[in-house]
Amino acid sequence: MESIKTVSKERTERLAWLSKIALTPEEVDRFTDQLNRILEFAGALDSPEVEGVEPTFHVLDLVNTFREDREEKGLEREGALATAPKVKDGFIVAPKIV
């Protein structure tokens, strides 16, 4: 795919047409300028200075942050079904989705 270096007024007008947005000539000029500044800013990410920078897998030096598994009492069926809008045979009834 072709890389876009700058946005022309024609491309801004095309984008506006595709977006079904009516722009005045002044807005086309303003948005063209803004889009070009955005592309210029994003272009700085194409070649970051990373020489001598170690890869970062995690910002903190943490190892095995998992908690210990332990058994806990779960929610009682009656409590779970108490707020359901419709219940049948001990289950929540949901609308059929096809």
Side-chain angles (χ1 to χ4, degrees):
M1 183 172 196
E2 182 183 325
S3 175
I4 300 172
K5 304 253 189 254
T6 60
V7 177
S8 65
K9 289 181 183 182
E10 292 78 20
R11 187 175 292 267
T12 302
E13 290 168 341
R14 173 87 172 140
L15 287 170
W17 180 80
L18 288 170
S19 303
K20 299 186 185 308
I21 299 172
L23 296 178
T24 65
E26 294 80 24
E27 289 172 326
V28 170
D29 290 340
R30 186 174 74 219
F31 289 135
T32 301
D33 180 55
Q34 290 175 353
L35 288 169
N36 281 315
R37 286 190 287 147
I38 290 168
L39 286 175
E40 182 181 332
F41 180 76
L45 300 175
D46 287 341
S47 57
E49 301 275 335
V50 294
E51 193 166 324
V53 177
E54 291 290 323
T56 303
F57 299 104
H58 198 285
V59 293
L60 302 174
D61 191 23
L62 297 176
V63 178
N64 194 6
T65 58
F66 300 112
R67 67 168 173 81
E68 184 178 323
D69 284 340
R70 58 183 174 266
E71 187 176 325
E72 294 182 4
K73 185 176 179 179
L75 187 61
E76 296 291 330
R77 177 178 277 215
E78 291 78 25
L81 296 175
T83 59
K86 192 171 180 185
V87 177
K88 182 179 179 184
D89 298 328
F91 296 97
I92 297 173
V93 177
K96 186 175 182 179
I97 298 174
V98 178

